[in-house]
């Protein structure tokens, strides 16, 4: 993998860079947040190892700027801040994983390689299918039994979430996090309204419903009743 390491501690950066290189990876190093952001937005990396406490521009600011610029490179955050709230902030800011200092290099390497495998799997998956319902992620199109289904952007995102978790119960909280980004109160009926509209589009006129309400739990997209 080609990895960007953003770390201001020169000794730690030298150690991690050397160990990653010996493991067969190519490493670029940035010692400041601004340099790291420049490289992350201009280079093609498989993963970024990002220290949270950086001079000038801190790690979370770098991460938020990356995501705002539509840079989807997986980011592993390194930090001495190990409280649950600190980890949650890092993940909510757009981090894919969080490793606290001090750490074992073997764990850092394993987590990076896991991120690399996950990215390859996600980029390879461009077609989702449940029964006769198909979603083409590249064309942004949906068909059921060969019939085109016109969806609004939010409906498309909602259906994508349900299809990625086919045969599982998807809770309201999961939908709020993945489709609405926490912008709505969990008690709002916006989910029910959108699910109802989606159900009309993908199930109406077909013998077998796919979108099911699981009372008291959430929703499930599955071929069986």
């Amino acid at each position: 993998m080609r990895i960007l390491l953003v770390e201001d501690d020169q000794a730690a950066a030298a150690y991690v860079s050397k160990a990653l290189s010996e493991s067969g990876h190519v490493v670029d190093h940035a010692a400041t947040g601004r340099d790291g952001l420049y490289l992350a937005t201009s280079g093609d990396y498989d993963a970024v190892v990002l220290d949270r406490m950086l001079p000038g521009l801190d790690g979370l600011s770098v991460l938020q700027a990356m995501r705002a610029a539509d840079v989807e490179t997986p980011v592993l955050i390194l930090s001495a801040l190990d409280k649950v709230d600190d980890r949650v902030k890092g993940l909510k800011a757009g981090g894919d994983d969080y490793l606290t200092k001090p750490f074992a290099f073997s764990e850092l390497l394993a987590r990076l390689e896991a991120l690399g495998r996950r990215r390859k799997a996600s980029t390879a998956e461009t077609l989702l299918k449940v029964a006769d319902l198909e979603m083409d992620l590249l064309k942004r199109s949906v068909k059921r039994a060969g019939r085109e289904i016109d969806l609004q952007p939010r409906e498309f995102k909602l259906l994508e979430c349900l299809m990625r978790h086919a045969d599982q119960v998807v809770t309201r909280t999961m939908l709020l996090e993945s489709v609405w980004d926490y912008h709505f109160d969990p008690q709002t009926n916006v989910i029910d309204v959108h699910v109802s509209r989606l159900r009309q589009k993908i199930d109406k006129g077909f013998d077998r419903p796919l979108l099911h309400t699981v009372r008291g739990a959430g929703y499930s997209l599955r071929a069986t009743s």
Side-chain angles (χ1 to χ4, degrees):
M1 292 192 296
R2 187 169 177 226
I3 299 169
L4 172 62
L5 172 64
V6 188
E7 169 64 75
D8 64 319
D9 185 317
Q10 293 298 325
Y15 166 70
V16 172
S17 294
K18 183 174 183 292
L20 285 173
S21 297
E22 290 175 347
S23 299
H25 303 294
V26 178
V27 184
D28 289 340
H29 171 236
T32 68
R34 294 191 183 281
D35 288 345
L37 179 58
Y38 173 76
L39 288 175
T41 53
S42 60
D44 183 20
Y45 294 98
D46 296 300
V48 176
V49 179
L50 179 64
D51 184 27
R52 183 164 172 177
M53 307 299 286
L54 294 167
L57 195 64
D58 68 272
L60 292 192
S61 297
V62 171
L63 183 53
Q64 289 167 338
M66 285 175 58
R67 299 312 186 215
D70 293 327
V71 177
E72 298 179 355
T73 308
V75 174
L76 170 62
I77 301 172
L78 292 181
S79 179
L81 303 174
D82 60 357
K83 296 187 183 306
V84 172
D85 285 348
D86 295 319
R87 297 198 297 272
V88 169
K89 284 179 183 177
L91 296 172
K92 280 190 176 182
D96 297 274
D97 202 351
Y98 195 105
L99 184 60
T100 56
K101 298 179 177 181
F103 57 86
F105 174 74
S106 58
E107 182 178 5
L108 170 67
L109 181 61
R111 286 174 180 263
L112 278 175
E113 291 177 343
L115 288 177
R117 289 194 300 272
R118 193 183 310 165
R119 190 185 193 198
K120 286 180 182 178
S122 64
T123 53
E125 188 177 36
T126 60
L127 184 67
L128 302 177
K129 186 172 182 178
V130 177
D132 56 354
L133 180 67
E134 295 184 358
M135 171 179 282
D136 191 317
L137 298 173
L138 294 180
K139 296 180 180 178
R140 306 293 291 179
S141 65
V142 175
K143 293 180 180 179
R144 182 163 185 192
R147 189 176 81 188
E148 290 277 356
I149 297 175
D150 184 32
L151 297 180
Q152 297 297 316
R154 188 77 69 177
E155 294 168 343
F156 188 94
K157 196 171 182 181
L158 174 60
L159 181 59
E160 180 184 351
C161 178
L162 291 166
M163 292 186 77
R164 287 189 182 279
H165 296 85
D167 297 318
Q168 303 173 26
V169 176
V170 182
T171 66
R172 295 169 62 89
T173 299
M174 289 170 65
L175 291 175
L176 282 170
E177 292 176 357
S178 61
V179 181
W180 279 273
D181 301 319
Y182 294 100
H183 291 168
F184 291 92
D185 186 287
Q187 301 305 315
T188 181
N189 71 342
V190 68
I191 295 177
D192 306 300
V193 170
H194 278 76
V195 168
S196 178
R197 290 176 182 168
L198 182 60
R199 181 179 278 123
Q200 286 288 314
K201 292 185 177 183
I202 68 170
D203 280 342
K204 189 175 182 180
F206 294 95
D207 294 334
R208 179 175 56 176
L210 298 178
L211 182 49
H212 304 272
T213 299
V214 183
R215 192 174 299 277
Y219 303 94
S220 180
L221 192 75
R222 60 181 188 268
T224 56
S225 59

